[in-house]
Amino acid sequence: MNLKQMAGIEAAKYVTDGMIVGLGTGSTAKFMVDEIGRRVKEEGLSIIGVTTSKETERQAQALGIPLKSIDEVPYVDLTIDGADEISADFQGIKGGGAALLFEKVVATYSKKCIWIVDESKLVNKLGKFPLPVEVIPYGSQQLVQLFEEKGFAPVLRKTSAGEILVTDGGHYIIDLHLKEINDPIALGDYLDHLVGVVEHGLFLHIVSTVIVGGETGPRTINVPE
Ligand code: 5RP
């Protein structure tokens, strides 16, 4: 079993009957959604899923997981999602799969968030992974220029076909190649106040449990409050 699959299957054990479950996006989350789908089909697990992307919605629908949108539920009991980097103090970068906006909305209304990763995602400090910033198309070149001036090494994300990538929310993504983020809170605050920025991939004080797939089995870390 690969390490992402191991983490995904372990996390699916936290899902119990009657829960409203946020279903994350990405290659690790895909294994978790598969496992929840299996439990719905084979064990009669009864849940409502809230997806974080069109991609996960298609997968969950195909598996027969009952779904509602975030606006049709009062809250989410538990969200399980992947992450691109997790620092030693459990702050995260997400959005490598371009779903950061919906992922952050669902996480914000969740009572508990579990991140599922392999060992490679655990870092001391955030920043080696480019930080995704979701922006509206109008004025996006001005933001690229501003980030350039700041020394953030911005790159407007393109698809493999070379087209500008458009997110599920109809926005663009500018990836900031920062190498090291010394103060994620201050950076998040700065980005939160920029006109045209819809959301950024700094997920701060959001995760409650991290499940790490490793060579010797899954490791569960409960984040201190
Ligand atoms: C998508 C995400 C993903 O959770 C993140 O990119 C991790 O993906 P993967 O599990 O494929 O490594 O934030 O927007």
Side-chain angles (χ1 to χ4, degrees), residues 138-204:
Y138 187 80
S140 55
Q141 275 311 314
Q142 297 296 336
L143 281 168
V144 169
Q145 201 174 304
L146 176 72
F147 291 145
E148 198 74 66
E149 284 159 15
K150 289 275 228 179
F152 289 172
V155 176
L156 186 64
R157 200 182 293 186
K158 304 255 175 75
T159 65
S160 49
E163 312 270 313
I164 296 176
L165 182 142
V166 179
T167 66
D168 286 351
H171 308 123
Y172 294 171
I173 288 184
I174 302 171
D175 290 303
L176 305 182
H177 294 252
L178 301 165
K179 295 199 175 93
E180 201 172 76
I181 301 173
N182 287 316
D183 190 344
I185 309 275
L187 178 61
D189 194 53
Y190 167 73
L191 295 170
D192 282 338
H193 289 91
L194 283 182
V195 174
V197 168
V198 182
E199 197 45 82
H200 55 77
L202 285 167
F203 280 51
L204 307 175

Coordinates of all heavy atoms in Angstrom, one line a residue, residues 138-204:
Y138 N -9.5 40.0 -13.1 CA -9.4 41.4 -13.3 C -8.3 42.0 -12.4 O -8.5 41.9 -11.2 CB -10.8 42.1 -13.1 CG -10.8 43.5 -13.5 CD1 -10.9 43.9 -14.8 CD2 -10.7 44.5 -12.5 CE1 -11.0 45.3 -15.1 CE2 -10.7 45.9 -12.8 CZ -10.9 46.2 -14.2 OH -10.9 47.6 -14.5
G139 N -7.3 42.5 -13.0 CA -6.2 43.1 -12.2 C -5.2 42.1 -11.7 O -4.2 42.4 -11.0
S140 N -5.3 40.8 -12.2 CA -4.3 39.8 -11.8 C -2.9 40.1 -12.2 O -1.9 39.8 -11.5 CB -4.7 38.4 -12.3 OG -4.9 38.4 -13.7
Q141 N -2.7 40.8 -13.4 CA -1.3 41.1 -13.8 C -0.7 42.2 -12.9 O 0.5 42.2 -12.7 CB -1.3 41.6 -15.3 CG -1.2 40.4 -16.3 CD -0.1 39.4 -15.9 OE1 1.0 39.8 -15.6 NE2 -0.5 38.2 -16.0
Q142 N -1.6 43.1 -12.4 CA -1.1 44.1 -11.4 C -0.6 43.4 -10.1 O 0.4 43.8 -9.5 CB -2.3 45.0 -11.0 CG -2.8 45.9 -12.2 CD -1.7 46.8 -12.8 OE1 -0.8 47.2 -12.1 NE2 -1.8 47.2 -14.1
L143 N -1.3 42.3 -9.7 CA -0.9 41.6 -8.5 C 0.4 40.9 -8.8 O 1.3 40.8 -7.9 CB -2.0 40.6 -8.1 CG -3.1 41.3 -7.3 CD1 -4.3 40.3 -7.1 CD2 -2.7 41.7 -5.9
V144 N 0.5 40.3 -10.0 CA 1.8 39.6 -10.3 C 2.9 40.6 -10.2 O 4.0 40.3 -9.6 CB 1.7 39.0 -11.8 CG1 3.1 38.6 -12.2 CG2 0.8 37.8 -11.8
Q145 N 2.7 41.8 -10.8 CA 3.7 42.9 -10.7 C 4.1 43.3 -9.3 O 5.2 43.4 -8.9 CB 3.2 44.1 -11.5 CG 4.3 45.0 -12.0 CD 3.6 46.1 -12.9 OE1 2.9 45.8 -13.8 NE2 3.8 47.4 -12.5
L146 N 3.0 43.4 -8.5 CA 3.2 43.8 -7.1 C 4.1 42.7 -6.3 O 5.0 43.0 -5.6 CB 1.9 44.0 -6.4 CG 1.9 44.3 -4.9 CD1 2.4 45.7 -4.6 CD2 0.5 44.1 -4.3
F147 N 3.7 41.5 -6.6 CA 4.4 40.4 -5.9 C 5.9 40.3 -6.4 O 6.8 40.0 -5.7 CB 3.7 39.0 -6.2 CG 2.4 38.9 -5.5 CD1 1.3 38.2 -6.1 CD2 2.2 39.4 -4.2 CE1 0.1 38.1 -5.4 CE2 0.9 39.3 -3.5 CZ -0.1 38.6 -4.2
E148 N 6.1 40.6 -7.7 CA 7.4 40.7 -8.3 C 8.2 41.7 -7.5 O 9.4 41.5 -7.1 CB 7.3 41.1 -9.8 CG 8.5 40.8 -10.6 CD 8.6 39.3 -10.9 OE1 7.8 38.7 -11.6 OE2 9.6 38.8 -10.4
E149 N 7.7 42.9 -7.4 CA 8.4 44.0 -6.7 C 8.7 43.6 -5.2 O 9.7 44.1 -4.7 CB 7.5 45.3 -6.7 CG 7.5 46.0 -8.0 CD 6.3 46.9 -8.2 OE1 5.6 47.2 -7.2 OE2 6.0 47.3 -9.4
K150 N 7.8 42.8 -4.6 CA 8.1 42.4 -3.2 C 9.1 41.3 -3.1 O 9.4 40.8 -2.0 CB 6.7 41.8 -2.7 CG 5.7 42.9 -2.4 CD 5.9 43.4 -1.1 CE 4.9 43.6 -0.1 NZ 5.4 44.2 1.2
G151 N 9.5 40.8 -4.3 CA 10.5 39.7 -4.3 C 9.9 38.3 -4.0 O 10.6 37.4 -3.5
F152 N 8.6 38.2 -4.3 CA 7.9 36.9 -4.0 C 8.0 35.9 -5.1 O 7.4 34.8 -5.0 CB 6.4 37.2 -3.7 CG 6.1 37.9 -2.4 CD1 4.8 38.3 -2.1 CD2 7.1 38.1 -1.4 CE1 4.6 39.0 -0.9 CE2 6.9 38.7 -0.2 CZ 5.6 39.2 0.1
A153 N 8.7 36.2 -6.2 CA 8.8 35.3 -7.4 C 7.5 34.7 -7.8 O 7.3 33.5 -7.7 CB 9.9 34.3 -7.1
P154 N 6.5 35.5 -8.2 CA 5.2 35.0 -8.5 C 5.2 34.3 -9.9 O 5.9 34.7 -10.8 CB 4.4 36.3 -8.6 CG 5.3 37.3 -9.0 CD 6.6 37.0 -8.4
V155 N 4.4 33.3 -10.0 CA 4.1 32.6 -11.3 C 2.6 32.3 -11.4 O 2.0 31.7 -10.6 CB 4.9 31.3 -11.4 CG1 4.6 30.5 -12.7 CG2 6.4 31.5 -11.3
L156 N 2.1 32.9 -12.5 CA 0.6 32.6 -12.8 C 0.5 31.2 -13.2 O 1.2 30.7 -14.1 CB 0.2 33.6 -13.9 CG -1.3 33.6 -14.2 CD1 -2.1 34.1 -13.1 CD2 -1.6 34.4 -15.5
R157 N -0.4 30.4 -12.5 CA -0.4 29.0 -12.8 C -1.1 28.7 -14.1 O -2.1 29.3 -14.4 CB -1.2 28.3 -11.6 CG -0.8 26.8 -11.7 CD -1.5 26.0 -10.6 NE -1.1 26.3 -9.2 CZ -1.6 25.7 -8.2 NH1 -2.4 24.7 -8.4 NH2 -1.2 26.0 -7.0
K158 N -0.5 27.8 -14.9 CA -1.0 27.4 -16.2 C -1.4 25.9 -16.1 O -0.9 25.1 -15.2 CB 0.0 27.6 -17.2 CG 0.6 29.0 -17.4 CD 0.0 29.7 -18.6 CE 0.3 31.2 -18.7 NZ 1.7 31.4 -19.1
T159 N -2.2 25.5 -17.0 CA -2.5 24.0 -17.1 C -1.4 23.3 -17.9 O -0.5 24.0 -18.5 CB -3.8 23.8 -17.9 OG1 -3.6 24.3 -19.2 CG2 -5.0 24.6 -17.3
S160 N -1.5 22.0 -17.9 CA -0.4 21.3 -18.7 C -0.5 21.6 -20.2 O 0.5 21.5 -20.9 CB -0.6 19.8 -18.5 OG -1.9 19.4 -18.7
A161 N -1.7 22.1 -20.6 CA -1.8 22.5 -22.0 C -1.3 24.0 -22.3 O -1.4 24.5 -23.4 CB -3.3 22.4 -22.4
G162 N -0.9 24.6 -21.2 CA -0.3 26.0 -21.3 C -1.3 27.1 -21.3 O -1.0 28.3 -21.4
E163 N -2.6 26.7 -20.9 CA -3.6 27.8 -20.7 C -3.5 28.3 -19.3 O -3.1 27.5 -18.4 CB -5.0 27.1 -20.9 CG -5.2 26.3 -22.1 CD -5.6 27.1 -23.3 OE1 -6.6 27.9 -23.1 OE2 -5.0 26.9 -24.4
I164 N -4.0 29.5 -19.0 CA -4.1 29.9 -17.7 C -5.1 29.0 -16.9 O -6.2 28.8 -17.4 CB -4.6 31.4 -17.6 CG1 -3.6 32.3 -18.2 CG2 -4.8 31.8 -16.1 CD1 -4.0 33.8 -18.3
L165 N -4.7 28.5 -15.8 CA -5.6 27.7 -15.0 C -6.7 28.5 -14.4 O -6.5 29.5 -13.8 CB -4.8 26.9 -13.9 CG -5.6 25.9 -13.0 CD1 -4.7 24.7 -12.7 CD2 -6.1 26.6 -11.8
V166 N -7.9 28.0 -14.5 CA -9.1 28.7 -13.9 C -9.7 27.7 -12.8 O -9.9 26.6 -13.1 CB -10.2 29.0 -15.0 CG1 -11.4 29.6 -14.3 CG2 -9.6 29.9 -16.1
T167 N -9.8 28.2 -11.6 CA -10.3 27.4 -10.5 C -11.8 27.1 -10.6 O -12.5 27.7 -11.4 CB -10.0 28.1 -9.1 OG1 -10.8 29.3 -9.1 CG2 -8.5 28.5 -9.0
D168 N -12.2 26.2 -9.7 CA -13.7 25.9 -9.7 C -14.5 27.2 -9.4 O -15.7 27.3 -9.8 CB -14.0 24.9 -8.6 CG -13.5 23.5 -9.0 OD1 -13.2 23.3 -10.1 OD2 -13.6 22.6 -8.1
G169 N -13.9 28.2 -8.7 CA -14.6 29.4 -8.4 C -14.4 30.5 -9.5 O -14.9 31.6 -9.4
G170 N -13.7 30.1 -10.6 CA -13.6 31.0 -11.7 C -12.5 32.0 -11.6 O -12.4 33.1 -12.2
H171 N -11.5 31.7 -10.7 CA -10.4 32.6 -10.5 C -9.1 32.1 -11.0 O -9.0 30.9 -11.5 CB -10.2 32.8 -9.0 CG -11.5 33.2 -8.3 ND1 -12.1 32.5 -7.3 CD2 -12.3 34.2 -8.5 CE1 -13.2 33.1 -6.9 NE2 -13.4 34.1 -7.6
Y172 N -8.0 32.9 -10.9 CA -6.7 32.5 -11.3 C -5.9 32.2 -10.0 O -6.3 32.6 -8.9 CB -5.9 33.6 -12.1 CG -6.5 33.9 -13.4 CD1 -6.0 35.0 -14.1 CD2 -7.4 33.2 -14.0 CE1 -6.5 35.4 -15.3 CE2 -7.9 33.5 -15.3 CZ -7.5 34.6 -15.9 OH -7.9 35.0 -17.2
I173 N -4.7 31.5 -10.2 CA -3.8 31.2 -9.1 C -2.4 31.8 -9.4 O -1.9 31.5 -10.5 CB -3.8 29.7 -8.7 CG1 -5.1 29.3 -8.1 CG2 -2.6 29.4 -7.8 CD1 -5.1 27.9 -7.6
I174 N -1.9 32.6 -8.4 CA -0.5 33.0 -8.6 C 0.3 32.3 -7.5 O -0.1 32.3 -6.3 CB -0.4 34.5 -8.3 CG1 -1.3 35.3 -9.3 CG2 1.0 35.0 -8.4 CD1 -1.4 36.8 -9.0
D175 N 1.3 31.5 -7.9 CA 2.1 30.8 -6.9 C 3.3 31.6 -6.6 O 4.0 32.1 -7.4 CB 2.6 29.4 -7.6 CG 1.4 28.4 -7.7 OD1 0.8 28.1 -6.7 OD2 1.2 28.0 -8.9
L176 N 3.5 31.8 -5.3 CA 4.6 32.6 -4.8 C 5.8 31.7 -4.3 O 5.6 30.8 -3.5 CB 4.2 33.4 -3.6 CG 2.9 34.3 -3.8 CD1 2.6 35.1 -2.5 CD2 3.2 35.3 -5.0
H177 N 6.9 31.9 -5.0 CA 8.1 31.0 -4.7 C 8.9 31.7 -3.6 O 9.8 32.5 -3.9 CB 8.8 30.8 -6.0 CG 8.1 29.9 -6.9 ND1 8.4 28.6 -7.2 CD2 6.9 30.2 -7.6 CE1 7.5 28.1 -8.0 NE2 6.6 29.1 -8.3
L178 N 8.5 31.5 -2.4 CA 9.1 32.2 -1.2 C 10.3 31.6 -0.6 O 11.0 32.2 0.1 CB 8.0 32.5 -0.2 CG 6.8 33.2 -0.7 CD1 5.6 33.1 0.3 CD2 7.1 34.7 -0.9
K179 N 10.5 30.3 -0.8 CA 11.6 29.5 -0.2 C 11.4 29.3 1.3 O 11.5 28.2 1.7 CB 13.0 30.1 -0.5 CG 13.3 30.1 -2.0 CD 14.8 30.3 -2.2 CE 15.2 30.2 -3.6 NZ 15.3 31.4 -4.3
E180 N 11.2 30.3 2.0 CA 11.0 30.2 3.5 C 10.0 31.3 4.0 O 10.1 32.4 3.6 CB 12.3 30.4 4.1 CG 12.4 29.8 5.5 CD 13.8 29.8 6.1 OE1 14.2 30.9 6.5 OE2 14.4 28.7 6.1
I181 N 9.0 30.8 4.7 CA 8.1 31.8 5.3 C 8.4 31.9 6.8 O 8.1 31.0 7.6 CB 6.6 31.4 5.1 CG1 6.4 31.2 3.6 CG2 5.7 32.4 5.7 CD1 5.0 30.6 3.2
N182 N 8.9 33.1 7.2 CA 9.3 33.2 8.6 C 8.2 33.6 9.5 O 8.1 33.2 10.7 CB 10.4 34.3 8.7 CG 11.7 33.8 8.2 OD1 12.1 32.6 8.5 ND2 12.4 34.5 7.4
D183 N 7.2 34.3 8.9 CA 6.0 34.7 9.8 C 4.8 34.5 9.0 O 4.2 35.4 8.3 CB 6.2 36.2 10.1 CG 5.2 36.6 11.2 OD1 4.2 35.9 11.4 OD2 5.4 37.7 11.8
P184 N 4.2 33.3 9.0 CA 3.0 32.9 8.2 C 1.8 33.8 8.6 O 1.0 34.2 7.7 CB 2.8 31.5 8.5 CG 3.9 30.9 9.3 CD 4.7 32.1 9.8
I185 N 1.7 34.2 9.9 CA 0.6 34.9 10.3 C 0.6 36.3 9.6 O -0.4 36.8 9.1 CB 0.6 35.1 11.9 CG1 0.7 33.8 12.6 CG2 -0.7 35.9 12.3 CD1 -0.5 33.0 12.8
A186 N 1.8 37.0 9.7 CA 1.9 38.3 9.1 C 1.7 38.2 7.6 O 1.0 39.1 7.0 CB 3.3 38.9 9.4
L187 N 2.2 37.2 6.9 CA 2.1 37.1 5.5 C 0.6 36.9 5.1 O 0.1 37.5 4.2 CB 2.9 35.9 5.0 CG 2.8 35.7 3.5 CD1 3.2 36.9 2.6 CD2 3.6 34.4 3.1
G188 N -0.1 36.0 5.9 CA -1.5 35.7 5.7 C -2.3 37.0 5.8 O -3.2 37.3 5.0
D189 N -2.0 37.8 6.9 CA -2.7 39.0 7.1 C -2.4 40.0 5.9 O -3.4 40.7 5.5 CB -2.1 39.6 8.4 CG -3.0 40.7 8.9 OD1 -4.2 40.5 9.1 OD2 -2.5 41.8 9.2
Y190 N -1.2 40.1 5.5 CA -0.9 41.0 4.3 C -1.8 40.6 3.1 O -2.4 41.4 2.5 CB 0.6 40.9 4.0 CG 1.0 41.5 2.7 CD1 1.0 42.9 2.5 CD2 1.3 40.7 1.6 CE1 1.3 43.4 1.3 CE2 1.6 41.2 0.4 CZ 1.6 42.6 0.2 OH 2.0 43.2 -1.0
L191 N -1.8 39.3 2.8 CA -2.5 38.8 1.6 C -4.0 39.0 1.8 O -4.7 39.3 0.8 CB -2.2 37.3 1.4 CG -0.7 37.0 1.0 CD1 -0.4 35.5 1.0 CD2 -0.4 37.6 -0.4
D192 N -4.5 38.8 3.0 CA -5.9 38.9 3.3 C -6.4 40.3 2.9 O -7.6 40.5 2.7 CB -6.2 38.7 4.8 CG -6.2 37.2 5.1 OD1 -6.5 36.4 4.3 OD2 -6.0 36.9 6.3
H193 N -5.5 41.3 3.0 CA -5.9 42.7 2.8 C -5.6 43.2 1.4 O -5.8 44.4 1.1 CB -5.3 43.6 3.9 CG -5.9 43.3 5.2 ND1 -5.4 42.4 6.1 CD2 -7.0 43.9 5.8 CE1 -6.1 42.4 7.2 NE2 -7.1 43.3 7.0
L194 N -5.2 42.4 0.5 CA -4.9 42.9 -0.9 C -6.2 42.8 -1.8 O -6.8 41.7 -1.8 CB -3.8 42.0 -1.5 CG -2.4 42.2 -1.1 CD1 -1.5 41.3 -1.9 CD2 -2.0 43.7 -1.3
V195 N -6.5 43.9 -2.4 CA -7.6 43.9 -3.3 C -7.4 43.0 -4.5 O -6.3 43.0 -5.0 CB -7.9 45.4 -3.8 CG1 -9.0 45.4 -4.9 CG2 -8.2 46.3 -2.7
G196 N -8.4 42.2 -4.8 CA -8.3 41.2 -5.9 C -7.9 39.8 -5.4 O -8.0 38.9 -6.2
V197 N -7.3 39.7 -4.2 CA -7.0 38.4 -3.7 C -8.2 37.8 -3.0 O -8.9 38.4 -2.2 CB -5.8 38.5 -2.6 CG1 -5.7 37.2 -1.9 CG2 -4.5 38.9 -3.3
V198 N -8.6 36.6 -3.5 CA -9.8 36.0 -3.0 C -9.4 35.2 -1.7 O -10.1 35.2 -0.7 CB -10.5 35.1 -4.0 CG1 -11.7 34.5 -3.5 CG2 -10.8 35.8 -5.3
E199 N -8.3 34.4 -1.8 CA -7.9 33.6 -0.7 C -6.5 33.1 -0.9 O -6.0 33.3 -2.1 CB -8.9 32.4 -0.6 CG -8.8 31.6 0.7 CD -8.8 32.5 1.9 OE1 -9.9 33.0 2.4 OE2 -7.7 32.8 2.5
H200 N -5.8 32.7 0.1 CA -4.4 32.2 -0.1 C -4.3 30.8 0.6 O -5.2 30.4 1.4 CB -3.4 33.2 0.5 CG -3.7 33.5 1.9 ND1 -3.4 32.6 3.0 CD2 -4.3 34.6 2.5 CE1 -3.8 33.2 4.1 NE2 -4.4 34.3 3.9
G201 N -3.2 30.1 0.3 CA -3.1 28.8 0.7 C -2.5 28.6 2.1 O -2.1 27.4 2.5
L202 N -2.3 29.7 2.9 CA -1.9 29.5 4.3 C -3.1 29.1 5.1 O -4.1 29.8 5.2 CB -1.3 30.8 4.8 CG 0.1 31.1 4.3 CD1 0.4 32.6 4.6 CD2 1.2 30.2 4.8
F203 N -3.0 27.9 5.6 CA -4.1 27.4 6.5 C -3.6 27.4 7.9 O -2.8 26.5 8.3 CB -4.5 25.9 6.1 CG -5.4 25.9 4.9 CD1 -5.1 26.6 3.7 CD2 -6.6 25.1 4.9 CE1 -6.0 26.5 2.6 CE2 -7.5 25.1 3.8 CZ -7.2 25.8 2.7
L204 N -4.0 28.4 8.7 CA -3.3 28.6 10.0 C -4.3 28.3 11.1 O -5.5 28.7 11.0 CB -2.9 30.1 10.0 CG -2.0 30.6 8.8 CD1 -1.7 32.1 8.9 CD2 -0.7 29.8 8.8

